[in-house]
Amino acid sequence: MELKFEQGTPRTLRLALLPLKKAGAQLVADMDAAGTGKRCGVCCKPFNEARKWRSVARLVYGGDMVLMVAWKLCGKCAYDAKQNSGHVPDCLKREAESVVKAARLAISDAEGTA
Ligand SMILES: [Zn+2]
């Protein structure tokens, strides 16, 4: 899975709240630095010279901690999402929800109960 999530830090929060147009470049730089985002989040086809990423999808979950999940999308999937009034595709929402659930569990396990 080409997923990225970070526990909420002021920096994550900033990236999560900034308009995607401004945060997108930084999200992509983070993915490149982490070695993720090599495939389209929707169709999972790898990016290469011919198939470049065209846009970034981002979901932010609030609560006692902020979780952000971001994907790069290929031209076709970015176009499809745009046709769907720019909404993040349902398959990404489901993927993000399972990641967020796992992340919350991992974090609450680590904190334990006093
Ligand atoms: Zn795609």
Side-chain angles (χ1 to χ4, degrees):
M1 272 198 298
E2 298 285 342
L3 287 175
K4 164 181 175 359
F5 66 86
E6 291 177 12
Q7 194 169 352
T9 61
R11 185 173 167 281
T12 316
L13 195 58
R14 203 178 75 86
L15 283 178
L17 297 178
L18 269 178
L20 192 50
K21 269 195 165 74
K22 289 190 177 163
Q26 189 56 52
L27 289 173
V28 167
D30 285 358
M31 283 189 238
D32 290 345
T36 61
K38 289 178 178 156
R39 290 166 184 271
C40 171
V42 176
C43 65
C44 291
K45 288 179 182 157
F47 296 119
N48 54 34
E49 279 306 301
R51 186 187 302 107
K52 295 180 164 58
W53 67 273
R54 296 291 177 202
S55 85
V56 176
R58 173 187 63 175
L59 284 172
V60 178
Y61 292 82
D64 49 351
M65 62 178 182
V66 175
L67 283 163
M68 175 175 60
V69 192
W71 304 261
K72 289 183 196 171
L73 301 185
C74 73
K76 181 189 175 297
C77 297
Y79 177 81
D80 287 350
K82 200 175 259 181
Q83 297 304 107
N84 183 25
S85 29
H87 291 135
V88 173
D90 286 345
C91 64
L92 293 186
K93 284 187 192 157
R94 282 194 296 274
E95 199 175 308
E97 276 157 21
S98 66
V99 169
V100 166
K101 209 181 271 179
R104 288 197 195 283
L105 274 178
I107 288 163
S108 60
D109 279 357
E111 284 170 353
T113 47

